[in-house]
């Protein structure tokens, strides 16, 4: 597994405002969207392309376009939905799949309750979006499902990561073609498995705490 921490002053600036507990939900959603677009720029650096011949107003030339099969963006519900627009803004021709996952608050294990994506993902580049890489359980379960369906190139975009979650992914997904792109790797997890200093519960801060 490869992890890439995006070191850019605009990323740091937006992340600081996201961390601030005074930031309201509308502002949080907007900044998360903007931050995802910056992360997506780095995450898609190796997106697969093919050559294409075109005519400019001046002459013929050769350019590139995204190759087929088209990449797929997979948000993990519900908080991942807040990252979807930022991804498809950069990859408007990408297809979108969905995975609904919930964490057991006693065991901290992730369970899948819904999926909407092709059974065969062979040859596709997959971009999984989930705001927090905390314990790593949710992303490990999601990526295993994608690989089971034939995905051979998976990139996970996270606003924040914890060292413990990174360690779990490295151990549980050893030998698999996975890249993690994040704005920061924070200090640690606390006893409630929240990232410290973190930014709280991303889903609640985006959408409120409706249960």
């Amino acid at each position: 597994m490869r992890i890439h921490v995006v070191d850019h002053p605009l990323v740091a600036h937006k992340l600081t405002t996201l961390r601030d507990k005074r930031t309201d939900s509308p502002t949080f959603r907007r900044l998360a969207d903007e931050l995802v677009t910056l992360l997506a720029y780095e995450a898609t650096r190796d997106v697969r392309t093919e050559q294409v011949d075109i005519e400019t107003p001046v002459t013929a030339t050769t350019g590139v376009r995204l190759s087929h099969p088209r990449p797929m963006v997979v948000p993990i519900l519900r908080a991942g939905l807040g990252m979807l627009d930022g991804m498809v803004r950069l990859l408007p021709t990408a297809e979108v799949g969905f995975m609904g996952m919930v964490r057991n608050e006693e065991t901290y294990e992730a369970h899948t309750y819904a999926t909407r994506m092709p059974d065969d993902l062979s040859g596709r580049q997959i971009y999984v979006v989930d705001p927090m890489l905390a314990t790593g359980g949710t992303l490990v379960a999601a990526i295993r499902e994608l690989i089971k369906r034939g995905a051979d190139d998976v990139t996970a975009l996270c606003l924040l990561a914890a060292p413990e979650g990174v360690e779990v992914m490295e151990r549980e997904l050893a030998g698999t073609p996975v890249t993690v792109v994040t704005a920061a790797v924070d200090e640690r997890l606390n006893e409630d498995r929240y990232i410290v200093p973190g930014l709280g519960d991303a889903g609640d801060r985006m959408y409120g705490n409706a249960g």
Side-chain angles (χ1 to χ4, degrees):
M1 191 190 83
R2 184 172 70 94
I3 184 161
H4 175 46
V5 179
V6 179
D7 182 16
H8 191 285
L10 284 179
V11 169
H13 166 75
K14 294 179 189 300
L15 180 57
T16 297
T17 307
L18 287 174
R19 291 186 190 275
D20 192 334
K21 67 180 183 180
R22 298 170 297 179
T23 300
D24 59 21
S25 288
T27 305
F28 191 97
R29 287 195 299 269
R30 176 177 58 80
L31 287 173
D33 177 77
E34 294 172 0
L35 181 53
V36 169
T37 300
L38 294 173
L39 297 179
Y41 181 80
E42 292 295 328
T44 56
R45 189 173 293 277
D46 296 323
V47 68
R48 295 169 186 164
T49 60
E50 59 189 16
Q51 286 192 342
V52 58
D53 295 326
I54 62 168
E55 292 276 347
T56 78
V58 179
T59 187
T61 189
T62 301
V64 298
R65 66 184 176 194
L66 296 185
S67 59
H68 285 77
R70 288 179 290 175
M72 175 170 285
V73 179
V74 180
I76 297 179
L77 307 180
R78 73 176 166 150
L81 282 177
M83 302 173 68
L84 179 58
D85 285 348
M87 278 297 301
V88 297
R89 183 178 300 115
L90 205 64
L91 284 174
T93 61
E95 293 186 347
V96 178
F98 295 93
M99 294 187 71
M101 305 192 77
V102 63
R103 187 178 76 167
N104 184 306
E105 295 302 327
E106 294 182 358
T107 66
Y108 303 111
E109 293 181 355
H111 300 280
T112 302
Y113 64 84
T115 59
R116 181 71 177 182
M117 55 190 172
D119 291 333
D120 185 4
L121 298 174
S122 301
R124 284 184 182 266
Q125 286 181 291
I126 310 294
Y127 297 92
V128 184
V129 291
D130 193 24
M132 314 299 281
L133 169 50
T135 64
T138 298
L139 272 176
V140 166
I143 291 170
R144 280 178 171 164
E145 177 63 27
L146 295 168
I147 291 172
K148 186 172 73 174
R149 296 179 184 228
D152 64 356
D153 189 332
V154 180
T155 299
L157 279 80
C158 306
L159 302 182
L160 282 180
E164 295 90 335
V166 172
E167 182 180 345
V168 166
M169 287 191 66
E170 288 177 335
R171 181 178 69 248
E172 299 296 327
L173 298 173
T176 58
V178 176
T179 300
V180 174
V181 177
T182 185
V185 177
D186 273 5
E187 296 174 11
R188 58 183 173 84
L189 294 178
N190 65 15
E191 59 276 7
D192 296 318
R193 303 298 194 272
Y194 279 95
I195 298 175
V196 178
L199 48 76
D201 186 299
D204 286 353
R205 296 199 63 193
M206 284 182 187
Y207 304 118
N209 58 4

